[in-house]
Amino acid sequence: MAQNRDSILVVGSGVAGLSASMSLARQGYNCILVEKAGSLGGHAAGYTCKAINGKCQKCGACLVDDLLARFGDFPEIQVFLETRIDRIERKKKGFTASLNGKYGLKDINCGAILLATGFKPFDPNEKSNLCFSSIPNMITAVELEAMLRDKELPYRPSDGRQPETIAFVQCVGSRDPKRGHPYCSQVCCGYALRMAGRLRDLAPKTKITFFFMDIQTFGRSFSQRWASLQQDFIWINEIPGDYFVSDGDRVGVSVEVEDEIVDLSFDMMVLSVGMTPTDDQLTYQQMLDLSMSSEGFMLPDEDRGVFVVGSASGPMSIEKSITDAAGSATRVIAYMEGAR
Amino acid sequence: MNLRTIDKRVMVLGDGETAVRLSKALNTSGLDSYLLWAGGTPPEGIPEGIAVELSARLVALQGQVGDFTATILSSDQFIRKLAGSVMVAFESRTEPVFDVATAPMHEGVATLEDAEAILRGERQISGDVKTVVFLDRLDGASTPASSERQFNAILSFLDRGIKCYAIGCQMKVASRNLELLYGRARDGGCVFFKNDFLSISFTQGRPLIRFEDLILHEEKEICADMVILAENFMPGASLPELREILGVETDKAGFMQADNVLRLPLQTNRRGVFVVGPSRAPVTRWDLDQEIPAAVSQVKELFAWAESFPYEEVISFDIDACARCLTCFRSCPHGAIHFTNRPNFLALACQQCGICTAFCPNEAIELRDMEKDRIKGLIANERKGSDSAPVVVFACEKSGARILNSIPSEDTLLRRIRWIQLPCGGTLRTQYLLDAIGNASEIPERVMVLACHEDNCRSGMGTIKARATVERVKSFLDSVGWNQTKIEFISTASNEAERIRKLLAAS
Ligand SMILES: Cc1cc2nc3c(=O)[nH]c(=O)nc-3n(C[C@H](O)[C@H](O)[C@H](O)COP(=O)(O)OP(=O)(O)OC[C@H]3O[C@@H](n4cnc5c(N)ncnc54)[C@H](O)[C@@H]3O)c2cc1C
Ligand code: SF4
Ligand code: SF4
Ligand code: SF4
Ligand code: SF4
């Protein structure tokens, strides 16, 4: 039934790209999925489970494994791994995209394009006061996710020891209009609190401090959980300005406590980095003549067959990316039906 | 392929904008929708072609996706309607936040809903209002959906030249463009304070608010003409009854979707019953804009799946063994058993969790490929291999089995393990565990059950059931003094390979 229709090109195979292509395939459309990395799944495929004491904390990370398992039922979706798109040309009807990658060069025709190219975790080197590259035991939350997934426990990059005191710094690269990030990244309060809970579950003696402005998102159970979360961790309602190496390998910060500047230090520090536009965004904006949203992400051009799904359109969680992908599928189909 | 005949009409239940938008979206995409409208007057903007039943209330829903029969009470008459899917799309109720102000309220205290009515011109403000204070929840647990309303109201008041203050603890901005909306309110002149404690008194008929500004550490006092209380979104009034009728899960607050990521985006535990918008959770405008088209895709995907579902029984039922005790009917988490004078298993509703098979006191139900004798055979056969297998594992296909499958076959760890895949932890029977120990010449050192973490179980209760089964067998073995085999229940997720490897290697 799908033979007479044009294919739909999906760029990026994170939660959003996987969900969108499967939704379209189930509704009878041919999809071509192009992924620049060597495997499917995007960022979430590298995250840890955050369950505590046998209870799921609803982080959504395992949903990507579910999507990948179900993806096996769709052999008709053509997948190009380690492939990028060099050029996209608009035709009278549809587009021609030039793929370049593992399988060589190839031109493909398609009726619509879904950009599911995702986000880039904020690069802490962009904020010089963090001194990220010169403080060995300062890591990003992306690194902590991978550490917990691959090694189960946290360890310090400097000596491989398990940290006894850990500090999380929230909103790194978010809620900062001056640096071009005029948005809350929506996910970092949730992932940081959940990872902190998991760390305490794995190593109950770990003392965890949060530097934060306010706590934005945690999910449905926030109002019931907030009181006990306040007990579990040390909360400092401030984002430190100065970061330095202290006692040889610890991470030090200066904060203002009741009008006095004090230095605090920790075995390890985790930066809760936000979600920022990818480096490829500009290329796509130019190739497809797209504008930028007020938050700095890609805007779609749905009347002309270009759709933007998932975090490529702005910060969003796994949950929202899945909803957005299903919603976009409906709009893409309406476009395809109208264009026929 | 021999396609099943599927009824593709969608019944939408609602009382407001969400249901109207949803019906329209379904209609535009080529599906027939039928609107069960709670109110007595027809909603505005319903195009021809969408049937609307006024003053209608669902009282029963039988059947399965592609073939539901709804019993509806409409203007004192019972009617029957057929549909392929049901979508719950009621609006939420709002409730003012009474952290500090208590009802009955002073005339200088209004709710956000009152304020919106004033802005729409539906209500008059008494007296001259120059200064307004917006109060958010002070416990820090507000939602983006309610701060979105608050910010919009602030902007409208500022537009009218009214001085605005807003006091809250952790005002939520975690939704598309919400931080920008907050920025516009702040740059437009609204002064925001952060606090979790304040007092309100009234002087000369005007509210006086005292609090400490937590950022500047100063005592503050604002004398306003009006205080506007934020509102929480609560589940719509019809949901408690409706959830009983539909047999679907809710979250702790009563919204009609369990706090279980496997129900995302819009699913319930009953296949073909969807929940959209404010019936599901407090949602922002942006959320709703995604959920409505997402619902269209979800139901079309489900219909396509149902059409191609093979005509094979996935459950075998031994009518002679059945005592008609209703246990299976009561324990099925997916509304997949229709009871007449015997249980009837609805193939399209059944999610093959096996919970009914594990609960049936008479072993009258078997899930295909999970027959008792086959499992017994698997345990025995697997053990005939050359290596000894001191560890027997029962693993849920969604979590434990995915991890075991990902271990490369050359890994020596696998040589010590024999494992049996279950479609859900709920399928685990006492007998399987006893067979694993007793049904062979060689006695295992360990029997492990690897099922999903609680709240991450597709069937909601499968993993809880598995844990209970393990505990029961453990205490039984204790009571007979058996100590050669360690029996363990371990919950996990598919992304915990490292943790499970360590646990397995420890034996
Ligand atoms: C540290 C951290 C922890 C997080 N934890 C959670 C959590 O616990 N729960 C949660 O809900 N959310 C979490 N998030 C957010 C989550 O990562 C996103 O919601 C999710 O990854 C969005 O999926 P996506 O498909 O939009 O993007 P991505 O996951 O970024 O996927 C995009 C895909 O597109 C590919 N791609 C990009 N550009 C191109 C190109 N030009 N050509 C071809 N392919 C391309 C990429 O390789 C990638 O595979 C976290 C985020 C961070 C930073
Ligand atoms: S949702 Fe997160 S915490 Fe829950 S089981 Fe999945 S990965 Fe673990
Ligand atoms: S989610 Fe939390 S940490 Fe992330 S930007 Fe928002 S407030 Fe900051
Ligand atoms: S639980 Fe077993 S015995 Fe009871 S009604 Fe169901 S099939 Fe019959
Ligand atoms: S296997 Fe599960 S879903 Fe199917 S009928 Fe039995 S209890 Fe219900």
Side-chain angles (χ1 to χ4, degrees):
Chain A
M1 87 196 192
Q3 271 82 12
N4 310 327
R5 288 178 179 150
D6 286 336
S7 299
I8 297 161
L9 173 63
V10 180
V11 190
S13 72
V15 177
L18 285 175
S19 312
S21 51
M22 284 196 269
S23 174
L24 289 166
R26 276 198 207 97
Q27 296 180 67
Y29 285 80
N30 283 328
C31 288
I32 300 165
L33 182 58
V34 175
E35 167 58 57
K36 70 173 180 189
S39 56
L40 303 172
H43 282 101
Y47 297 161
T48 179
C49 171
K50 301 168 188 81
I52 299 175
N53 193 16
K55 276 201 101 167
C56 168
Q57 298 299 307
K58 293 102 187 189
C59 76
C62 58
L63 290 176
V64 72
D65 298 83
D66 281 356
L67 289 169
L68 289 169
R70 267 181 276 151
F71 197 74
D73 300 339
F74 296 90
E76 68 272 25
I77 300 176
Q78 285 183 66
V79 180
F80 293 89
L81 286 176
E82 288 177 44
T83 301
R84 282 165 180 277
I85 295 169
D86 282 345
R87 243 170 314 108
I88 300 177
E89 213 182 303
R90 270 183 202 275
K91 297 282 193 190
K92 211 158 98 223
K93 213 172 140 272
F95 306 82
T96 303
S98 311
L99 311 190
N100 179 356
K102 194 168 156 186
Y103 312 97
L105 301 172
K106 188 178 163 75
D107 280 359
I108 55 128
N109 294 320
C110 59
I113 299 181
L114 254 84
L115 298 173
T117 46
F119 69 100
K120 186 178 93 170
F122 176 74
D123 175 3
N125 290 308
E126 281 179 37
K127 253 181 113 175
S128 56
N129 67 321
L130 292 168
C131 301
F132 184 69
S133 54
S134 57
I135 305 179
N137 291 324
M138 181 190 265
I139 65 170
T140 68
V142 183
E143 292 172 276
L144 182 65
E145 289 268 12
M147 208 181 261
L148 294 182
R149 181 177 176 126
D150 300 337
K151 303 271 189 289
E152 213 211 337
L153 285 166
Y155 59 89
R156 304 204 311 168
S158 70
D159 56 8
R161 267 190 27 234
Q162 234 176 283
E164 279 161 25
T165 56
I166 302 178
F168 281 83
V169 181
Q170 296 305 105
C171 300
V172 177
S174 310
R175 306 183 72 180
D176 189 354
K178 287 196 200 87
R179 278 198 190 74
H181 309 298
Y183 50 79
C184 159
S185 287
Q186 302 182 25
V187 295
C188 10
C189 283
Y191 74 59
L193 279 168
R194 288 182 173 90
M195 282 200 281
R198 174 96 169 179
L199 288 169
R200 253 177 62 108
D201 191 44
L202 295 168
K205 289 208 188 93
T206 319
K207 263 174 111 175
I208 299 174
T209 303
F210 273 88
F211 293 101
F212 77 118
M213 292 197 240
D214 44 33
I215 291 303
Q216 284 292 332
T217 48
F218 188 72
R220 289 180 189 263
S221 59
F222 185 73
S223 58
Q224 293 106 27
R225 292 286 302 281
W226 179 226
S228 70
L229 287 167
Q230 280 173 290
Q231 305 282 311
D232 290 349
F233 310 118
I234 300 157
W235 294 88
I236 301 182
N237 201 342
E238 184 181 335
I239 306 291
D242 292 324
Y243 301 79
F244 44 86
V245 177
S246 141
D247 300 337
D249 56 6
R250 290 164 64 85
V251 188
V253 293
S254 302
V255 282
E256 200 186 306
V257 181
E258 303 193 342
D259 295 333
E260 266 185 66
I261 305 280
V262 292
D263 287 355
L264 299 172
S265 72
F266 307 90
D267 289 345
M268 187 160 111
M269 178 167 282
V270 182
L271 304 179
S272 293
V273 288
M275 299 169 77
T276 66
T278 63
D279 296 335
D280 296 346
Q281 175 168 321
L282 210 59
T283 320
Y284 277 90
Q285 275 177 240
Q286 284 162 357
M287 269 198 298
L288 290 163
D289 191 20
L290 306 176
S291 358
M292 206 169 73
S293 75
S294 34
E295 293 179 336
F297 290 79
M298 269 188 290
L299 277 179
D301 187 359
E302 300 193 350
D303 295 341
R304 296 172 73 213
V306 182
F307 298 78
V308 182
V309 231
S311 59
S313 74
M316 67 175 85
S317 63
I318 294 166
E319 156 180 4
K320 302 255 147 108
S321 302
I322 290 175
T323 314
D324 187 30
S328 300
T330 299
R331 292 198 290 267
V332 173
I333 290 173
Y335 172 82
M336 296 289 282
E337 297 294 314
R340 271 209 298 172
Chain B
M1 205 184 351
N2 194 2
L3 288 187
R4 276 183 191 249
T5 320
I6 293 291
D7 185 340
K8 292 193 180 172
R9 285 171 295 187
V10 182
M11 181 179 293
V12 176
L13 275 54
D15 56 359
E17 181 204 345
T18 310
V20 172
R21 283 180 65 186
L22 184 58
S23 306
K24 280 198 212 166
L26 289 162
N27 218 45
T28 322
S29 78
L31 291 169
D32 272 343
S33 68
Y34 173 81
L35 181 56
L36 222 62
W37 189 251
T41 43
E44 275 174 40
I46 276 285
E48 269 182 56
I50 298 180
V52 184
E53 193 65 45
L54 295 180
S55 310
R57 191 157 63 88
L58 185 76
V59 290
L61 184 74
Q62 286 183 339
Q64 57 185 334
V65 53
D67 182 22
F68 281 116
T69 305
T71 312
I72 296 157
L73 186 61
S74 171
S75 316
D76 293 336
Q77 283 209 315
F78 285 102
I79 50 174
R80 267 180 185 224
K81 286 277 174 187
L82 305 179
S85 168
V86 172
M87 293 194 173
V88 180
F90 286 96
E91 303 306 316
S92 32
R93 229 162 17 91
T94 55
E95 204 178 80
V97 176
F98 289 115
D99 283 52
V100 278
T102 45
M105 294 189 297
H106 186 269
E107 59 175 27
V109 178
T111 65
L112 193 52
E113 201 164 273
D114 296 334
E116 285 167 344
I118 292 168
L119 290 167
R120 285 194 302 266
E122 290 162 13
R123 266 175 86 157
Q124 298 303 314
I125 318 182
S126 55
D128 191 16
V129 173
K130 293 202 187 76
T131 308
V132 172
V133 174
F134 285 83
L135 277 191
D136 199 5
R137 268 177 88 148
L138 297 180
D139 64 353
S142 170
T143 59
S146 52
S147 47
E148 179 178 47
R149 274 181 70 203
Q150 212 175 358
F151 296 156
N152 279 321
I154 292 174
L155 283 167
S156 306
F157 274 91
L158 288 173
D159 268 354
R160 299 175 175 214
I162 296 171
K163 175 81 201 144
C164 293
Y165 295 93
I167 307 171
C169 171
Q170 317 205 108
M171 286 201 185
K172 304 298 172 185
V173 291
S175 185
R176 178 65 54 88
N177 289 336
L178 210 50
E179 180 93 56
L180 289 165
L181 201 64
Y182 165 79
R184 273 173 55 205
R186 194 197 44 215
D187 297 344
C190 179
V191 185
F192 285 87
F193 292 106
K194 185 170 177 171
N195 198 284
D196 54 10
F197 184 78
L198 51 76
S199 73
I200 300 188
S201 56
F202 297 94
T203 51
Q204 295 153 6
R206 297 175 76 204
L208 177 73
I209 296 158
R210 287 205 187 86
F211 61 96
E212 189 195 334
D213 177 2
L214 289 185
I215 302 198
L216 298 174
H217 303 290
E218 295 173 350
E219 292 295 328
K220 285 267 168 199
E221 222 180 72
I222 304 171
C223 192
D225 301 305
M226 192 157 84
V227 170
I228 296 172
L229 301 178
E231 286 174 328
N232 293 330
F233 284 103
M234 313 294 285
S238 48
L239 294 195
E241 187 191 83
L242 191 59
R243 72 154 294 205
E244 296 292 329
I245 290 166
L246 293 172
V248 296
E249 306 154 335
T250 59
D251 69 3
K252 282 210 179 76
F255 288 100
M256 217 187 256
Q257 191 180 45
D259 194 2
N260 179 336
V261 298
L262 298 167
R263 302 283 179 259
L264 296 171
L266 309 170
Q267 285 157 34
T268 65
N269 49 313
R270 206 165 164 191
R271 195 180 264 149
V273 177
F274 293 93
V275 54
V276 186
S279 291
R280 192 185 71 77
V283 291
T284 61
R285 300 300 305 176
W286 185 84
D287 293 330
L288 192 59
D289 289 348
Q290 316 311 310
E291 286 189 20
I292 285 171
V296 174
S297 271
Q298 289 260 296
V299 72
K300 285 174 129 186
E301 289 174 43
L302 183 63
F303 286 158
W305 170 86
E307 266 180 334
S308 58
F309 194 83
Y311 282 100
E312 290 166 21
E313 294 298 334
V314 286
I315 281 188
S316 62
F317 170 61
D318 179 356
I319 194 158
D320 297 327
C322 172
R324 296 171 176 82
C325 68
L326 290 164
T327 305
C328 53
F329 172 73
R330 287 204 197 96
S331 61
C332 173
H334 301 294
I337 299 177
H338 174 58
F339 216 92
T340 46
N341 59 347
R342 53 158 278 186
N344 302 274
F345 301 89
L346 305 173
L348 296 177
C350 173
Q351 307 205 9
Q352 285 136 60
C353 65
I355 287 176
C356 57
T357 68
F359 269 122
C360 173
N362 299 316
E363 302 191 349
I365 323 169
E366 297 268 29
L367 214 53
R368 194 181 55 200
D369 296 342
M370 284 292 127
E371 296 85 3
K372 208 172 48 188
D373 291 343
R374 183 174 166 271
I375 301 288
K376 216 176 195 161
L378 273 180
I379 294 166
N381 280 342
E382 300 263 28
R383 290 156 151 275
K384 283 199 193 113
S386 50
D387 288 311
S388 67
V391 186
V392 177
V393 182
F394 292 93
C396 167
E397 67 172 21
K398 199 183 110 344
S399 51
R402 274 194 203 147
I403 293 175
L404 291 167
N405 269 321
S406 73
I407 300 177
S409 53
E410 63 275 13
D411 195 317
T412 51
L413 190 60
L414 286 181
R415 277 196 233 137
R416 298 168 41 81
I417 303 168
R418 295 288 175 255
W419 61 283
I420 291 137
Q421 179 168 323
L422 305 176
C424 167
T427 318
L428 186 76
R429 296 191 198 172
T430 312
Q431 195 60 45
Y432 297 170
L433 294 175
L434 296 176
D435 283 347
I437 297 167
N439 184 35
S441 47
E442 177 207 351
I443 293 156
E445 286 165 22
R446 284 169 99 185
V447 174
M448 290 166 85
V449 175
L450 295 180
C452 300
H453 290 303
E454 196 178 325
D455 283 357
N456 192 245
C457 170
R458 202 175 34 212
S459 300
M461 58 187 294
T463 198
I464 298 171
K465 165 96 180 63
R467 186 196 294 266
T469 304
V470 171
E471 290 308 321
R472 216 176 30 247
V473 171
K474 245 167 123 170
S475 56
F476 166 73
L477 292 177
D478 277 351
S479 71
V480 298
W482 180 270
N483 55 13
Q484 295 179 50
T485 310
K486 193 172 163 207
I487 300 202
E488 296 158 278
F489 174 87
I490 290 150
S491 74
T492 187
S494 45
N495 50 10
E496 287 193 302
E498 186 52 32
R499 184 178 145 244
I500 297 304
R501 273 192 65 94
K502 278 191 194 155
L503 283 169
L504 289 170
S507 51

